[in-house]
Amino acid sequence: MSFESLGLSVSVLHAVNKKGYTTPSPIQEKVIPFILERKDVLASAQTGTGKTAGFTLPLLQILSEGKQMRRRPLRALILTPTRELAAQVFANVKEYSEFLNIESTVIFGGVNQNPQVTALRNGVDVLVATPGRLLDLLNQKVLSLNSVEILVLDEADRMLDMGFLRDIKKILNLMPAKRQNLLFSATFSKEIKELANGFLQNPVTVEATPENTTVEKIIQKVFHVDKGRKPALVVKLISEGDWQQVLVFTRTKHGANRLSEKLEKSGITSAAIHGNKSQNARTKALDGFKKGTVRVLVATDIAARGLDIPLLPHVINFELPNVAEDYVHRIGRTGRAGASGEAVSLVSHDEMDLVRGIEKLLKQSLPQEVIEGFEPGNNPQPASEKPKSNNHFRKPKSQGGNRNFRRKPKGNRA
């Protein structure tokens, strides 16, 4: 199937062709025709499926075919959970609307609101926003949602995880009852279904797995190691493996900062991104990571959500997530588009229940190993699968640098 067969206009197709895309992904193939038919859509699609173009292309076409108004009232609203995702969605909107008479902008917190206010007052057709900054500007009477024709909730599951449900309901009440609604979520949890039932009108349900990205295609490894030895093991893996682009996940903001500092002291360029970082710092870190000037990006789940990093070769779970589905989201960032990918998890004794939960979700056992020189002190191995020794890694010359590494404090969840 081609993009032409989906019913897209010549101007939209021109922008798609300029990006170099020739064949729609499964989610695009399924969802674009329904959106063009002005149906409400409930779609299950993870990062890496092409979902952003899936809703952006038809949305822009619908707006371009509608009545053009001189003052440009806001006609389409795209809500995202994080600043990074908002910026990326906006970039796609700009690219795909290059040959259309469509104005757009993006608003999010953590930066000066004045340029955002100026853009809104000049008039925009499409607004990409995070809930918090949107409500701030609505309360200041900077904009109105009275003319919104299309609403998109992108990564709705993450918005609920971040506690945005009340904000979303406030925003819904400020829009016309008659509008088209599109909800995209990585999972169809009970909470997502309840949210969808509250505002979607006879929605079409669409599901798609990441294109060329399945868990089976990713090399997964579990390395057993004591909690206090994890930083030194990360340094060893990256240094001796000569890994040049690595995304490392931690549970907390504090843990991300400490690991990033440890890597820097070991001569590995690194940056941490999380909710406490300014938007400028987060943008600079991500740009450096993509360009190769930053070798390791240490991130919390929330900060990393929606990051578009093509051909990422290595993901390290410094700590396993508490929710098994988040493990799938994390490792799904590698091995895309047919490229090879490796996901390594550093597991201490108190995380073994999390490993079993992940294996149950994946319906497969994860290969478990012990690296020479990093054997757990008193870590009993699971009876079902005793980790094998991995002699590929040499014993480091010195291990004294990690003895003073303090235990990660509880709390401070990101």
Side-chain angles (χ1 to χ4, degrees):
M1 178 174 283
S2 64
F3 281 101
E4 287 82 354
S5 64
L6 298 179
L8 295 170
S9 67
V10 173
S11 296
V12 173
L13 289 172
H14 191 181
V16 172
N17 291 335
K18 187 174 179 179
K19 288 274 288 181
Y21 300 137
T22 56
T23 306
S25 69
I27 187 66
Q28 293 165 358
E29 189 177 311
K30 293 177 181 178
V31 80
I32 288 175
F34 288 128
I35 297 177
L36 289 175
E37 292 172 11
R38 303 305 302 268
K39 295 182 182 295
D40 280 16
V41 172
L42 174 60
S44 172
Q46 298 177 8
T47 299
T49 59
K51 64 179 173 63
T52 303
F55 62 75
T56 300
L57 295 175
L59 178 152
L60 291 171
Q61 178 161 323
I62 289 170
L63 296 183
S64 67
E65 292 174 347
K67 184 179 179 181
Q68 300 293 318
M69 302 180 188
R70 187 171 60 87
R71 291 188 58 82
R72 293 189 186 274
L74 178 60
R75 299 165 61 201
L77 173 64
I78 304 172
L79 279 180
T80 71
T82 67
R83 311 163 186 174
E84 284 78 17
L85 182 57
Q88 289 176 20
V89 171
F90 172 61
N92 282 322
V93 170
K94 291 290 288 183
E95 289 171 337
Y96 293 132
S97 61
E98 181 179 355
F99 306 104
L100 300 171
N101 182 22
I102 296 289
E103 292 293 333
S104 58
T105 195
V106 60
I107 61 173
F108 45 71
V111 296
N112 189 325
Q113 73 171 36
N114 292 336
Q116 299 176 0
V117 170
T118 299
L120 289 169
R121 286 179 172 160
N122 288 336
V124 295
D125 302 287
V126 183
L127 175 63
V128 184
T130 52
R133 176 53 61 92
L134 176 62
L135 283 173
D136 284 345
L137 297 185
L138 284 168
N139 291 334
Q140 296 175 44
K141 311 295 184 186
V142 171
L143 74 158
S144 167
L145 304 182
N146 292 338
S147 300
V148 171
E149 302 169 22
I150 306 174
L151 168 68
V152 181
L153 292 188
D154 192 15
E155 298 200 355
D157 54 330
R158 184 57 59 177
M159 280 198 266
L160 297 191
D161 290 345
M162 294 172 67
F164 286 135
L165 179 58
R166 182 178 296 179
D167 290 348
I168 291 171
K169 289 183 175 179
K170 287 181 183 177
I171 293 166
L172 290 174
N173 289 332
L174 296 173
M175 287 184 284
K178 186 178 180 181
R179 63 178 188 271
Q180 184 177 13
N181 302 289
L182 313 173
L183 188 155
F184 287 76
S185 173
T187 60
F188 284 160
S189 64
K190 177 184 176 183
E191 293 77 14
I192 286 294
K193 290 179 180 177
E194 288 178 357
L195 174 63
N197 290 337
F199 75 99
L200 297 182
Q201 302 294 321
N202 301 315
V204 176
T205 301
V206 175
E207 297 187 56
T209 54
E211 183 183 21
N212 294 326
T213 307
T214 61
V215 171
E216 292 78 10
K217 292 182 180 179
I218 300 169
I219 300 170
Q220 300 175 71
K221 295 178 181 178
V222 167
F223 291 148
H224 291 277
V225 60
D226 288 333
K227 189 178 296 185
R229 304 294 309 285
K230 286 186 179 184
L233 182 51
V234 171
V235 171
K236 178 182 176 68
L237 290 170
I238 294 171
S239 299
E240 296 191 7
D242 195 26
W243 295 354
Q244 295 301 315
Q245 191 180 42
V246 189
L247 177 59
V248 182
F249 284 97
T250 62
R251 281 197 198 135
T252 69
K253 305 168 189 176
H254 188 64
N257 286 338
R258 297 191 66 137
L259 180 57
S260 181
E261 291 170 4
K262 170 76 174 180
L263 291 169
E264 285 285 338
K265 290 177 181 177
S266 300
I268 299 171
T269 54
S270 172
I273 61 169
H274 50 67
N276 284 355
K277 293 283 186 177
S278 70
Q279 183 58 38
N280 288 338
R282 292 161 77 164
T283 300
K284 181 180 178 181
L286 182 58
D287 287 346
F289 188 60
K290 289 183 176 181
K291 293 175 182 176
T293 56
V294 172
R295 192 169 169 185
V296 181
L297 193 63
V298 187
T300 57
D301 283 293
I302 290 174
R305 186 71 175 212
L307 292 182
D308 181 19
I309 306 167
L311 305 179
L312 177 65
H314 302 285
V315 168
I316 296 178
N317 291 303
F318 184 77
E319 295 145 325
L320 288 177
N322 290 321
V323 180
E325 285 82 359
D326 284 345
Y327 172 85
V328 177
H329 296 162
R330 287 180 177 187
I331 72 170
R333 298 172 185 282
T334 185
R336 291 183 182 175
S340 60
E342 183 176 20
V344 170
S345 299
L346 310 187
V347 177
S348 54
H349 179 53
D350 60 346
E351 294 176 296
M352 282 310 301
D353 284 343
L354 299 177
V355 172
R356 286 185 276 270
I358 292 168
E359 291 178 331
K360 182 178 180 181
L361 176 67
L362 298 180
K363 296 182 174 59
Q364 70 180 73
S365 296
L366 298 178
Q368 302 183 33
E369 305 175 15
V370 172
I371 294 180
E372 183 180 351
F374 287 84
E375 297 86 352
N378 297 300
N379 185 1
Q381 307 305 334
S384 61
E385 183 176 5
K386 184 177 181 180
K388 60 186 178 182
S389 177
N390 186 338
N391 294 322
H392 174 70
F393 296 97
R394 301 187 306 275
K395 185 174 181 178
K397 295 179 180 178
S398 173
Q399 298 169 7
N402 57 54
R403 289 174 182 165
N404 295 323
F405 186 81
R406 296 189 297 254
R407 290 187 176 276
K408 171 177 64 63
K410 295 181 179 179
N412 195 22
R413 301 290 180 189

